[in-house]
Amino acid sequence: MDFELRQRGRSAIDFAADMGAMGMKLSAAVGAKIADVELPEDFDEQLAIMEQHLGDDPQQQYLMAMGEWSATTHGEITFDAFKEIQQELEPEFKRLREGGTQIETRPGFEPPDYWVGVDFHRTTGGWVREHQGFVHGELIHPKYVAKNFPGGIFKQRRDVLNELGDRQFSNILEMGTSSGHFTVALAEAFPDAKLTGVEPGLPMLEQAQRFGNERGASWRLIQACAEDTGLPDASFDLVTSYILLHELPARATRAVFAEAFRLLEPGGMMFMSDVQPFRAMPRIAQWRANAGALRGGEPYWREAASLDLAALATELGFVDARSYGLGERQYPWVTIARKPAA
Amino acid sequence: MSSQSVDKATFQVVLNLMHELWVVKDRAAVLEQALAEAGVDIADKVDRLQPDAALTERLDEERKAFISRVLAPTLDAE
């Protein structure tokens, strides 16, 4: 969508993004002090030991305070930037509600208990705050996160689909559509496929709808949870998600995989991309990921990153299940599995 | 409180001040460009002006340097 931020909004977002880069410098300085610390397997013990090493360290305290500032202000800074131009965006919002991409809401829809009241990423109001879709999809992702994201936040969404090889798909379900960035990547990779997206956050779907109608696409967007889509059995040949699973408790991920199995036609593929599991990390990285998740509004990261997703898929009936990390950073971590042919 | 300890609340205030100060510094730079173009409604022009490539580059460099300079004591803290 074409829009121009006001001076204050643009400048404030640029500042917040560059503060992230400063935090990385400080993090590197702290990291050098703890490189040789030996950590046990237990995550709580890891936290306690690192507290002993770093609790009184001034650089670590500055780093924590800086992280706290970023975590608690980036959402409001971007919302303020949005409010400065909201009035002139409204006609565009109205225009982009028209087109082949439409949102279906279902009477009586209730989001799951693990999701209600959770401010993911510590953004006030989480994924249900009005206009969070625009703020997340057009401001936070491209103008804040992308500036410091190794590997390119949008490039990764496109590149990950190379793992599916040359196979073409005709009916794709995306679980956890959010504001539609992965949907765009799917549409680019499989231009002839029919795309359906489910997502419980209506403000997020509204932004995905804008991306869809902007491209003249006909995506079916449904306000629903991935574990309870209400869609017919065996109606897709690919069920996929990008960076959804770490926002789910383990019991929900099990239900999501079971739903994916039900929705896939025989021979169909499940393809999920998410965070690296703890078992693939050195213990110092485990501590860093775990501590960062605790501070960063990720209440389910620890249990999600403790799962063996390929084993879970196999347990639920999938075959040829495998999980692995991409590139030098082993990120994202992909899980590919196939529903057996009939 | 030892001389090495960090008062987190104060540091949050410092960061908030940095944030506000940067916005003002940025605005002044944009204002210079806007004045040079002699628009009739400078405030609105500054609000809406989208920096050109040269100013964007200058702001990027100055912002990074500003952040590094003000926060240098945190990197030096032992």
Side-chain angles (χ1 to χ4, degrees):
Chain A
M1 192 184 306
D2 290 331
F3 62 90
E4 291 181 339
L5 291 174
R6 295 291 184 272
Q7 182 270 334
R8 183 185 167 84
R10 172 190 59 75
S11 178
I13 293 173
D14 285 346
F15 178 88
D18 278 352
M19 280 292 291
M22 183 66 192
M24 288 179 190
K25 283 187 202 170
L26 208 45
S27 180
V30 171
K33 297 177 186 174
I34 54 171
D36 298 327
V37 174
E38 301 227 347
L39 289 173
E41 187 176 348
D42 183 84
F43 296 142
D44 289 326
E45 288 177 25
Q46 290 178 356
L47 290 168
I49 288 172
M50 290 309 247
E51 177 62 23
Q52 287 171 11
H53 279 275
L54 293 175
D56 294 326
D57 183 276
Q59 285 184 328
Q60 171 70 359
Q61 291 184 22
Y62 284 127
L63 179 61
M64 293 299 98
M66 213 179 286
E68 183 71 11
W69 183 84
S70 294
T72 54
T73 58
H74 79 279
E76 292 314 303
I77 286 171
T78 43
F79 255 98
D80 286 347
F82 161 70
K83 286 174 192 164
E84 289 182 313
I85 58 170
Q86 180 176 0
Q87 199 172 359
E88 60 203 62
L89 286 171
E90 292 292 352
E92 192 69 351
F93 286 174
K94 186 177 176 189
R95 182 179 75 81
L96 292 173
R97 280 195 287 272
E98 307 297 325
T101 295
Q102 291 300 314
I103 299 172
E104 297 173 25
T105 56
R106 291 174 175 160
F109 168 75
E110 293 282 347
D113 58 350
Y114 62 81
W115 201 72
V116 176
V118 177
D119 287 355
F120 287 101
H121 302 184
R122 298 183 71 183
T123 47
T124 305
W127 304 134
V128 291
R129 183 177 181 180
E130 189 179 15
H131 297 302
Q132 185 72 274
F134 178 86
V135 169
H136 182 268
E138 294 278 18
L139 300 180
I140 292 180
H141 256 186
K143 297 183 185 300
Y144 175 74
V145 179
K147 283 197 167 179
N148 292 307
F149 197 84
I153 192 168
F154 302 111
K155 184 174 183 298
Q156 281 180 342
R157 281 165 169 73
R158 295 191 301 271
D159 289 353
V160 76
L161 291 168
N162 293 333
E163 301 306 304
L164 288 167
D166 295 331
R167 180 167 172 175
Q168 288 299 305
F169 298 94
S170 54
N171 270 302
I172 299 173
L173 174 67
E174 182 191 8
M175 293 175 149
T177 292
S178 190
S179 53
H181 286 144
F182 188 50
T183 329
V184 171
L186 286 165
E188 287 174 1
F190 305 108
D192 298 325
K194 182 180 168 190
L195 284 181
T196 302
V198 293
E199 158 66 43
L202 196 54
M204 309 309 289
L205 282 180
E206 287 168 352
Q207 181 58 30
Q209 180 185 38
R210 291 175 200 129
F211 282 139
N213 283 333
E214 213 171 22
R215 285 161 176 73
S218 296
W219 302 338
R220 183 184 181 194
L221 302 176
I222 305 168
Q223 186 187 28
C225 291
E227 63 268 48
D228 184 18
T229 63
L231 293 165
D233 292 357
S235 48
F236 297 94
D237 52 2
L238 175 65
V239 175
T240 186
S241 74
Y242 191 95
I243 215 71
L244 162 71
L245 303 178
H246 73 286
E247 292 191 358
L248 304 177
R251 63 184 159 87
T253 297
R254 170 176 281 271
V256 164
F257 277 25
E259 180 75 344
F261 191 86
R262 182 184 74 77
L263 292 169
L264 282 168
E265 61 189 35
M269 303 295 293
M270 179 175 77
F271 179 61
M272 307 301 206
S273 300
D274 222 277
V275 300
Q276 192 180 23
F278 289 124
R279 69 176 187 282
M281 301 176 183
R283 287 185 181 168
I284 202 90
Q286 292 176 352
W287 163 76
R288 202 184 296 276
N290 191 32
L294 288 172
R295 290 191 305 272
E298 298 283 9
Y300 309 117
W301 187 305
R302 185 192 283 203
E303 55 183 300
S306 298
L307 290 173
D308 182 338
L309 295 176
L312 179 62
T314 302
E315 186 188 331
L316 293 170
F318 286 97
V319 294
D320 300 335
R322 57 198 190 281
S323 283
Y324 53 94
L326 298 183
E328 192 180 334
R329 291 181 65 241
Q330 299 273 287
Y331 182 91
W333 192 265
V334 299
T335 299
I336 305 179
R338 182 170 56 82
K339 183 172 179 174
Chain B
M1 189 172 74
S2 78
S3 61
Q4 289 297 323
S5 68
V6 175
D7 180 326
K8 290 181 182 173
T10 304
F11 191 58
Q12 296 291 310
V13 172
V14 170
L15 292 175
N16 282 326
L17 285 171
M18 280 184 66
H19 166 224
E20 291 300 328
L21 180 57
W22 171 252
V23 173
V24 173
K25 284 173 66 71
D26 181 300
R27 190 174 182 91
V30 173
L31 188 60
E32 287 172 3
Q33 182 169 328
L35 282 169
E37 293 176 17
V40 289
D41 184 351
I42 291 301
D44 186 61
K45 187 173 175 64
V46 170
D47 255 346
R48 293 174 181 277
L49 191 145
Q50 302 300 307
D52 60 18
L55 181 56
T56 297
E57 187 177 348
R58 178 183 145 199
L59 288 172
D60 283 348
E61 287 176 7
E62 289 191 11
R63 187 176 55 252
K64 286 177 172 58
F66 170 76
I67 289 172
S68 295
R69 188 166 61 248
V70 175
L71 286 177
T74 66
L75 274 174
D76 296 336
E78 288 300 339

